[in-house]
Amino acid sequence: MTINEEEWLRDIEKRVSVDFFKTLSEASLEELHYVFSREALGLLKNNWTNTMHHWNKQKAKMAYYFSAEFLMGRWLSNALINMGVYEEAGEAAQKLGINMNALEEAEADAGLGNGGLGRLAACFLDSLATGDYPSMGYGIRYRYGMFEQKIVNGYQVEKPDNWLEHGDVASIHRPDEAVEVKFWGRVAIEKGKDNHNYFHLYDYESVIAVPYDLPVPGYNTKTVVTLRLWEAVSPDGFDLDLFQAGEYSRAVAKEIQAENISRVLYPNDNTVGGKQLRLRQQYFFVSAGMTDLIRRFKKQWGKDFSKLPDAVAIQLNDTHPVVAIPELMRILVDEEHLNWDSAWQICIRTFAYTNHTLLAEALEKWPINIFAPLLPRIYQIIEEINRRFLHYLHQIFPGDWQRHKEMEIISDGVIKMAWLAIVGSHSINGVAELHTNLLKTQELRLWYELFPDKFNNKTNGVTQRRWLLKANPALSEFITKRIGDAWIKDLNEISKLEAYAEDPTAQREFLAIKAKDKQILAEYIARHNNIKINTSSIFDVQIKRLHEYKRQLLNALHIIYLYQRLKADPNYSIVPRTFIFGAKAASGYHQAKLIIRLINAIADVVNNDPVVSNKIKVVFMENYRVSLAEKIFPAADVSEQISTAGYEASGTGNMKFMMNGAITLGTLDGANVEILELVGHENAFIFGLTAEEVNQHKMSYNPQQLLAHDAELSAVVEALHDPIFATENIHMFEPIYQSLLFGVDGNPPDKYMVLKDFRPYLSANKKLEQAYLDEKKWAKMALINIARSGKFSSDRTIKQYADEIWHIKPNPQK
Ligand code: 26W
């Protein structure tokens, strides 16, 4: 694709005038960004419509990715890169006196996700489009995405994320394709013309789902995949009569209630609140998506629903969209009048479910008293699924009551969404080898025994186009100069870089690029944090959601240890290091928020102490998000992946670091295990308990005993009461202290075994320091990591989903 510069410039000027009544020089950066984006949208318009027409005409089997979260980040530059016009657009901008970087910075992130699961969905769309796979995404157009984080006096403060403030830069509003979603009401049985009984919903409340389509262009291909996000609106606006009567609040109450459904993303990662509004969000986008998809199917295949599993594959991203299973049953049985058994076979063959977590508190269980009144017919259908499933279980394991009880979909007053997902799908996958194995042998053991063939692994991946090509242009050029640019579409090609791992020129050049990237980040940190950091220090980075299992606390305690050693002996030898953190804590997760406060307390002490501050610095980067991540990964030397083994399903940041030449300092958890398999112990720093050992220690582990034999570690823990850190009062970090030594909220002491892994972490850190001192060795390690990162492209992951679960094929337009 190319752009006609003259035409482009003329259009931009015209758009500024038509949309904003301004001249180019009067327009704000946000306005210019908007018109640039709409211009880019115009550029891909034909490819986009043709993509859908082509797949429709071919009756290509489609994969639909249903996800409550799509953490897309910024659109414009990524789209321009994929369309192959990034440089030309930059030159055009220059002619208007606008810097492309400044334009980019004017775009708000589409932060419609919490963390890994949401970003995975976004990487998948990029890989689907680039791989020409007939596919689409369905989700929710949250009016407010992941909250904006401010740090005030060391504490996290949350602000609404008003990402649409300057307009929706890239999506197309399609009110003509709106659909109705029904809530509440009562179910009645009626005789149909054929004398059969059918179920009807009466006295329901309607909400209208209005789609906004966001185009995701593939790299160097005509394929453009659609992400369809639904917005909730009230069917009949506000109540004019009440308004006339001066009852303004009541007049708009219904409208507001409807709109509340897509108002805001729940900022919880790995815990469930059991809030009715969350269930309304889930059913809302699932029902709209199913209606839309069935409408498209019927246009191609008429009413022959036996064809549905040959025409459609639906991937359920965790349990959040699992109401899709009873919703499809409802459509097939109640609306299309199929018999239960045929409908059920169609369901199972259509749905596949991905599990993203081993944490019990993340498994969704809906209380019947919330679910049944809101979705009465869906509840009936789940009851019927459960009844038939128990009947089946009874035949396979007669008399094994304990097993039946544990596998019931509805029990103890709740509906177990993961169980429903497993029963109603033909495929259940984990997201890394270790995770899938733990599912089979622990969390889902009984299910694996019942349905061994349904279980499979799909190790996660990330798109190298955003996380290497876009985020790290200098390193990308370094790679392309040596091995050509085929890696952009086929990351296996990057293995050719290994030939340069010991090449002194390549090593020197790599280190120079890393130094430059560190310089750029240092300037950002100087501007935003007012901290001056040493660019030749080790950039040691932990960026991810804040959760106790991810053990940011272990990292923090290590810094306290270094501080105490340096204070006790200013000649204590240490390689200068900058510890960089970025993390949001769920708003109600007090322990996590307190850990943020602790990191900031440590930063205050360390950065302002003349004895230590030239050796270590601590930086907490505010408002971690996709666009900030793109700035941090290129500058990292060390990738902290230190979760308690057995808790991190996969991790995907670990892969982004690897592609950018950072070395993993990590536990044998999630995809770290697979990184280690590829690079070996010589090219990673692995420490700590294995998942198996964590299990074995669960019963006997006693952190107090451990501290009694380790004076240094004990002093580190006691620092939580030290007024140097606990500046407000010496009890401010008491909940952290308590959780380590005694356990809080019914948890065992040091549930995540931070103290148990402390010494091994220390040794791994020492080894890492030594390795860093040998520049050539370090460059070699980094180059080997990059060269062996091919497996972690989401292109590979998507190909496996396509070949092994969805049975769809690449289908580009000619
Ligand atoms: C219902 C509340 C809630 C919200 C989000 C529960 C669970 C989640 C997600 C499952 C959390 C999440 O993002 N999980 C991460 O998924 C990534 C992609 O597979 C994995 O790499 C991470 O290890 C996993 O924590």
Side-chain angles (χ1 to χ4, degrees):
M1 197 175 271
T2 54
I3 61 182
N4 176 334
E5 191 172 291
E6 238 170 76
E7 214 177 282
W8 179 281
L9 292 177
R10 224 181 313 119
D11 283 358
I12 298 259
E13 192 164 358
K14 195 165 148 201
R15 279 178 199 273
V16 171
S17 154
V18 170
D19 289 354
F20 301 110
F21 296 179
K22 282 187 181 176
T23 64
L24 279 172
S25 57
E26 290 167 340
S28 70
L29 220 44
E30 284 79 13
E31 288 164 341
L32 288 171
H33 172 267
Y34 181 87
V35 297
F36 256 80
S37 299
R38 299 314 284 196
E39 191 64 22
L41 207 54
L43 213 57
L44 54 70
K45 178 178 126 222
N46 286 335
N47 281 347
W48 192 10
T49 45
N50 291 342
T51 298
M52 261 314 198
H53 286 157
H54 172 69
W55 290 339
N56 282 341
K57 216 168 69 204
Q58 302 242 323
K59 293 189 177 180
K61 181 171 183 183
M62 293 272 293
Y64 292 92
Y65 201 77
F66 275 61
S67 177
E69 305 187 4
F70 286 90
L71 193 39
M72 301 297 283
R74 288 176 176 154
W75 183 82
L76 177 62
S77 31
N78 192 249
L80 292 172
I81 290 172
N82 279 8
M83 289 190 272
V85 297
Y86 183 73
E87 261 152 43
E88 290 168 76
E91 284 160 21
Q94 216 56 61
K95 292 247 162 75
L96 300 173
I98 313 158
N99 179 286
M100 196 61 194
N101 274 336
L103 210 55
E104 237 186 286
E105 291 299 320
E107 181 172 346
D109 282 37
L112 310 183
N114 271 285
L117 161 142
R119 183 55 227 178
L120 185 76
C123 284
F124 278 4
L125 293 179
D126 186 78
S127 288
L128 285 164
T130 300
D132 301 309
Y133 287 106
S135 57
M136 233 181 116
Y138 280 120
I140 302 172
R141 186 177 187 263
Y142 300 106
R143 178 61 188 78
Y144 297 94
M146 187 62 204
F147 65 78
E148 184 187 338
Q149 178 192 55
K150 295 264 182 223
I151 300 296
V152 180
N153 299 327
Y155 288 99
Q156 166 177 298
V157 173
E158 302 98 32
K159 299 260 183 262
D161 162 49
N162 191 8
W163 69 291
L164 292 169
E165 185 177 341
H166 299 288
D168 189 340
V169 295
S171 53
I172 305 285
H173 180 200
R174 296 198 185 283
D176 53 316
E177 296 192 43
V179 303
E180 183 187 28
V181 178
K182 299 173 182 176
F183 293 97
W184 310 102
R186 59 187 172 82
V187 180
I189 301 174
E190 275 173 15
K191 263 210 177 7
K193 288 191 202 104
D194 57 3
N195 229 16
H196 280 92
N197 287 328
Y198 293 107
F199 292 85
H200 278 276
L201 192 64
Y202 288 97
D203 303 329
Y204 53 82
E205 282 178 27
S206 288
V207 173
I208 304 301
V210 183
Y212 286 74
D213 289 349
L214 180 80
V216 180
Y219 182 87
N220 195 15
T221 171
K222 292 180 176 173
T223 302
V224 181
V225 161
T226 303
L227 171 58
R228 176 161 278 196
L229 299 177
W230 301 95
E231 176 182 62
V233 303
S234 156
D236 25 47
F238 63 96
D239 189 315
L240 203 51
D241 291 337
L242 285 172
F243 191 83
Q244 307 279 24
E247 299 228 35
Y248 305 118
S249 308
R250 275 184 61 210
V252 296
K254 256 197 152 167
E255 188 176 23
I256 287 177
Q257 248 209 16
E259 289 170 1
N260 278 347
I261 293 176
S262 55
R263 178 104 46 216
V264 56
L265 168 79
Y266 275 96
N268 298 326
D269 183 271
N270 277 316
T271 43
V272 283
K275 291 277 184 295
Q276 189 214 59
L277 181 58
R278 190 173 161 91
L279 179 60
R280 283 203 279 156
Q281 292 187 332
Q282 296 184 349
Y283 184 69
F284 166 74
F285 93 90
V286 158
S287 176
M290 289 307 300
T291 305
D292 198 44
L293 165 171
I294 293 290
R295 182 165 69 184
R296 197 167 305 121
F297 170 85
K298 279 178 162 176
K299 272 194 199 142
Q300 294 175 6
W301 299 92
K303 288 200 149 218
D304 186 1
F305 288 97
S306 68
K307 292 271 181 351
L308 192 73
D310 304 316
V312 167
I314 300 177
Q315 194 67 36
L316 302 171
N317 199 21
D318 217 280
T319 53
H320 318 155
V322 164
V323 277
I325 293 170
E327 173 67 359
L328 180 57
M329 286 301 285
R330 185 190 66 75
I331 293 172
L332 295 178
V333 173
D334 295 359
E335 292 183 5
E336 304 295 345
H337 298 184
L338 270 70
N339 68 53
W340 182 280
D341 289 321
S342 336
W344 184 241
Q345 285 317 309
I346 291 168
C347 264
I348 292 180
R349 290 177 56 210
T350 303
F351 287 109
Y353 155 63
T354 304
N355 175 289
H356 292 267
T357 182
L358 291 153
L359 294 186
E361 61 269 35
L363 290 182
E364 289 188 296
K365 297 180 180 128
W366 287 110
I368 295 170
N369 61 10
I370 289 183
F371 198 106
L374 184 70
L375 304 170
R377 178 58 186 145
I378 298 297
Y379 180 66
Q380 280 186 345
I381 290 171
I382 296 174
E383 277 187 316
E384 182 62 15
I385 293 171
N386 189 38
R387 197 184 64 76
R388 288 170 183 246
F389 171 65
L390 284 177
H391 180 74
Y392 171 77
L393 253 192
H394 201 74
Q395 291 173 325
I396 311 275
F397 298 107
D400 192 345
W401 304 115
Q402 185 57 31
R403 186 183 296 259
H404 299 185
K405 172 105 187 61
E406 283 177 39
M407 300 179 86
E408 264 185 297
I409 298 170
I410 306 175
S411 74
D412 304 322
V414 296
I415 309 167
K416 300 180 175 167
M417 300 310 277
W419 290 188
L420 179 59
I422 295 169
V423 173
S425 305
H426 65 279
S427 164
I428 296 129
N429 75 281
V431 290
E433 294 287 353
L434 174 68
H435 172 229
T436 302
N437 288 334
L438 292 173
L439 287 177
K440 288 182 185 174
T441 55
Q442 294 172 31
E443 271 61 23
L444 303 181
R445 199 192 80 234
L446 298 181
W447 294 99
Y448 180 58
E449 284 172 14
L450 185 63
F451 301 128
D453 299 339
K454 288 192 185 188
F455 283 74
N456 64 94
N457 176 248
K458 296 287 169 280
T459 297
N460 283 164
V462 304
T463 169
Q464 69 270 29
R465 287 163 298 272
R466 184 175 291 255
W467 297 110
L468 185 49
L469 181 65
K470 175 182 180 304
N472 201 339
L475 185 59
S476 298
E477 203 189 301
F478 166 94
I479 296 166
T480 298
K481 197 166 85 187
R482 289 176 173 76
I483 65 165
D485 65 0
W487 61 272
I488 299 170
K489 276 195 112 150
D490 176 6
L491 199 62
N492 292 316
E493 284 284 318
I494 209 160
S495 65
K496 293 182 179 159
L497 197 67
E498 189 145 352
Y500 298 89
E502 296 191 57
D503 172 36
T505 319
Q507 291 181 348
R508 225 178 308 118
E509 224 178 285
F510 169 78
L511 291 171
I513 289 166
K514 187 59 88 179
K516 189 87 188 295
D517 285 331
K518 288 164 75 170
Q519 183 61 40
I520 296 170
L521 185 63
E523 282 161 19
Y524 181 95
I525 289 171
R527 276 200 307 280
H528 287 80
N529 296 63
N530 201 18
I531 300 173
K532 206 175 153 312
I533 60 181
N534 169 5
T535 51
S536 49
S537 67
I538 304 173
F539 278 24
D540 177 319
V541 185
Q542 188 170 21
I543 42 176
K544 48 181 82 239
R545 284 303 290 265
L546 212 138
H547 200 291
E548 287 163 283
Y549 84 76
K550 295 178 189 279
R551 298 201 295 194
Q552 281 93 350
L553 184 57
L554 176 58
N555 192 343
L557 294 181
H558 174 231
I559 303 170
I560 295 180
Y561 169 87
L562 292 177
Y563 171 79
Q564 292 183 335
R565 289 292 305 249
L566 283 166
K567 288 301 271 186
D569 174 8
N571 294 322
Y572 176 64
S573 137
I574 164 178
V575 183
R577 220 193 289 197
T578 303
F579 295 93
I580 297 169
F581 293 87
K584 286 177 180 173
S587 11
Y589 189 174
H590 299 293
Q591 202 74 356
K593 287 178 135 179
L594 198 56
I595 292 169
I596 292 180
R597 181 65 189 88
L598 175 64
I599 293 168
N600 284 315
I602 298 169
D604 273 345
V605 174
V606 167
N607 299 344
N608 297 307
D609 186 318
V611 180
V612 296
S613 73
N614 57 349
K615 304 210 171 117
I616 51 180
K617 281 263 160 63
V618 180
V619 180
F620 187 94
M621 301 192 72
E622 195 174 65
N623 201 27
Y624 179 60
R625 62 197 184 283
V626 173
S627 59
L628 185 55
E630 289 171 21
K631 297 183 173 76
I632 301 175
F633 284 114
D637 295 310
V638 174
S639 157
E640 297 262 3
Q641 307 300 335
I642 59 178
S643 52
T644 316
Y647 284 94
E648 190 69 272
S650 161
T652 43
N654 45 4
M655 302 167 185
K656 297 163 195 167
F657 278 112
M658 185 185 185
M659 283 177 194
N660 281 280
I663 314 295
T664 304
L665 167 58
T667 48
L668 285 171
D669 202 11
N672 301 352
V673 175
E674 289 159 74
I675 292 178
L676 177 66
E677 256 165 39
L678 286 160
V679 302
H681 281 283
E682 351 41 291
N683 296 298
F685 301 98
I686 303 298
F687 72 94
L689 300 169
T690 62
E692 220 183 335
E693 288 166 343
V694 167
N695 266 335
Q696 287 162 2
H697 282 90
K698 259 180 193 151
M699 303 307 285
S700 59
Y701 173 48
N702 180 346
Q704 298 194 39
Q705 214 166 25
L706 197 144
L707 288 188
H709 293 100
D710 190 335
E712 277 182 336
L713 179 54
S714 184
V716 169
V717 173
E718 289 309 317
L720 294 169
H721 289 145
D722 187 334
I724 293 211
F725 297 108
T727 48
E728 295 168 22
N729 69 72
I730 58 164
H731 300 298
M732 65 184 288
F733 299 120
E734 192 61 26
I736 297 178
Y737 185 89
Q738 288 286 324
S739 84
L740 286 174
L741 281 141
F742 306 103
V744 294
D745 304 327
N747 287 318
D750 194 13
K751 178 172 179 197
Y752 296 106
M753 303 197 184
V754 172
L755 302 175
K756 183 92 192 150
D757 269 345
F758 185 80
R759 285 282 163 189
Y761 183 52
L762 218 68
S763 325
N765 269 292
K766 270 282 154 218
K767 267 197 232 154
L768 178 161
E769 271 191 10
Q770 288 314 305
Y772 191 78
L773 287 176
D774 185 344
E775 274 202 325
K776 289 191 188 107
K777 184 176 161 196
W778 189 270
K780 179 183 163 193
M781 289 171 72
L783 288 169
I784 288 177
N785 267 275
I786 300 169
R788 298 187 190 172
S789 66
K791 174 179 181 183
F792 299 114
S793 169
S794 45
D795 298 345
R796 185 268 313 151
T797 314
I798 282 299
K799 185 172 184 328
Q800 289 182 323
Y801 277 93
D803 291 346
E804 297 161 21
I805 302 178
W806 303 332
H807 305 291
I808 61 167
K809 290 195 182 56
N811 193 338
Q813 11 165 347
K814 296 292 160 299

